[in-house]
Amino acid sequence: MSNASNASNASNASNASNASNASNTPNTPNTPNTPSTISSPDSAPRRSCCGDDCCTPSSVALPVAAAATPVVADEVRSQVRAGYAQIAEAGSWNATKRADSSDASSCCGGGGCCGPATFSPEQLAAAIGYSQGELASAPESANMGLSCGNPTAVASLRRGEVVLDLGSGGGFDCFVAGPKVGATGRVIGVDMTPEMVTKARRNTEIYRERVGLDNVEFRLGEIEHLPVADASVDVVISNCVLNLSPDKASVWREIARVLKPGGRVAVSDLALLRPLPEAVLQDVEALVGCVAGAVLVEETRRMAVDAGLTDLALASKPEYIDAMTNWEDPLYRRIVESLPAGSTPSDFLTSLDLTARKPSP
């Protein structure tokens, strides 16, 4: 999955996060976000990926911004899983856009087929804060252009730590984290898409040969039900994935469960600075999960606090949204067309770095 994952270097990203604290949380209204929707894979008419009829709401819609019923949540996950399976097989968002597919479930709901088309995964990674040294440790096929930040830099990883990556996809952030924690550390990637886990495990062989470390593993599972023991992880990271979950509160509770006392979390994700206009919701809700599933920054903060995490620091980084707009990404072109005159996507949407800690006894 991964996510629907965001120009500076890695140290700049880390410094930006360290400079932020709970008192400078982005100023956002404390109002609930209007639930966004995506199409049901079982009910939507079959459409060609990114054809003229792709990325438009169907007659059946599923709420993803708010907590969903178990049945609806499973349907959302199925659609996201289908989209990211196609991305895993194609190799990137760009390649998926070029793929000839008639599977409606892979169009829009899982992200990818209507995603970036004007830049490479390498260009995106450099723009959102990955250094050349970090990129060198990761197999090229692990980077599929799904990031919206660099959580490994924000987390300030240390030797010997156990790191858990939620929605690890092809393993990109796991392979970046591996050298940072060294031979005495461990990195665990969890993803719900079998094709992504298979791809990541294949990439592991390349990583081992390239850096000489055997400290990364991948597990199949949902981030709302992590296949990880209680209090076993020093650091949880995630990159543009939590916005895809139909039950974000459960994800935050799972993060708190698996963290050791004193452990920390570093998440890069898309979030709303203010509710999207209704005109945008009507068009964007089925466009891509990474936008449709985003919630207000304040809502993200509240879920982390309710899960028992403390020392929250949130840093809004609109430059990611500006880059996607300036690169004329197809998704953001459509958003611009639907916004009120004089406004831009970064007035509503941001890339958010969030760090927090699980209290010690």
Side-chain angles (χ1 to χ4, degrees):
M1 185 163 70
S2 338
N3 359 31
S5 347
N6 42 93
S8 58
N9 55 33
S11 61
N12 287 341
S14 178
N15 291 340
S17 174
N18 292 337
S20 175
N21 53 45
S23 65
N24 59 23
T25 300
N27 186 19
T28 58
N30 188 13
T31 58
N33 180 34
T34 302
S36 300
T37 65
I38 64 176
S39 305
S40 167
D42 298 325
S43 304
R46 296 178 66 82
R47 299 169 289 176
S48 59
C49 189
C50 288
D52 293 337
D53 60 347
C54 179
C55 301
T56 56
S58 71
S59 59
V60 178
L62 304 174
V64 296
T69 66
V71 172
V72 169
D74 286 344
E75 291 175 342
V76 170
R77 292 189 193 98
S78 293
Q79 186 157 352
V80 171
R81 187 182 290 112
Y84 279 88
Q86 189 182 14
I87 295 173
E89 292 167 356
S92 70
W93 278 30
N94 293 356
T96 308
K97 180 176 172 63
R98 294 190 297 267
D100 180 15
S101 171
S102 60
D103 182 0
S105 69
S106 67
C107 183
C108 313
C113 73
C114 303
T118 59
F119 53 89
S120 70
E122 293 75 19
Q123 288 174 308
L124 176 62
I128 58 179
Y130 289 90
S131 69
Q132 289 304 308
E134 289 175 317
L135 295 177
S137 65
E140 287 73 14
S141 60
N143 180 11
M144 291 176 281
L146 303 173
S147 303
C148 62
N150 183 356
T152 64
V154 175
S156 301
L157 300 178
R158 298 185 288 266
R159 297 280 177 177
E161 290 186 318
V162 177
V163 179
L164 173 64
D165 182 17
L166 306 188
S168 49
F172 179 53
D173 282 315
C174 291
F175 298 129
V176 172
K180 296 176 183 285
V181 300
T184 59
R186 193 75 183 164
V187 183
I188 303 166
V190 172
D191 202 285
M192 73 170 183
T193 305
E195 291 84 353
M196 283 292 189
V197 174
T198 297
K199 186 181 188 74
R201 288 172 177 168
R202 289 173 180 164
N203 285 332
T204 301
E205 296 300 322
I206 302 174
Y207 166 79
R208 289 170 182 162
E209 294 176 0
R210 181 171 295 182
V211 303
L213 291 172
D214 185 13
N215 63 348
V216 176
E217 65 173 284
F218 297 95
R219 303 175 185 177
L220 180 66
E222 297 173 352
I223 60 175
E224 298 90 352
H225 311 93
L226 290 168
V228 180
D230 295 356
S232 61
V233 173
D234 295 296
V235 184
V236 173
I237 62 172
S238 188
N239 198 342
C240 213
V241 169
L242 269 62
N243 56 65
L244 296 171
S245 171
D247 188 0
K248 297 171 182 60
S250 289
V251 177
W252 283 105
R253 288 192 293 269
E254 280 291 272
I255 289 172
R257 178 184 67 80
V258 302
L259 280 174
K260 298 176 182 177
R264 60 196 190 279
V265 55
V267 168
S268 295
D269 214 338
L270 294 187
L272 298 180
L273 297 172
R274 50 176 163 158
L276 290 168
E278 185 63 28
V280 177
L281 285 175
Q282 291 175 356
D283 185 29
V284 175
E285 60 187 6
L287 194 58
V288 62
C290 292
V291 173
V295 297
L296 290 169
V297 173
E298 175 62 22
E299 178 69 4
T300 299
R301 186 202 67 79
R302 183 190 63 77
M303 287 187 287
V305 170
D306 287 350
L309 301 176
T310 61
D311 300 332
L312 265 68
L314 298 94
S316 177
K317 300 192 302 181
E319 59 267 23
Y320 167 77
I321 307 301
D322 291 336
M324 299 293 279
T325 305
N326 294 337
W327 279 336
E328 296 189 344
D329 171 77
L331 302 184
Y332 289 82
R333 285 204 306 267
R334 293 192 58 156
I335 294 174
V336 169
E337 292 170 358
S338 300
L339 289 178
S343 60
T344 66
S346 59
D347 293 330
F348 295 85
L349 192 66
T350 189
S351 174
L352 182 72
D353 284 342
L354 182 151
T355 60
R357 187 176 299 274
K358 181 176 179 177
S360 299

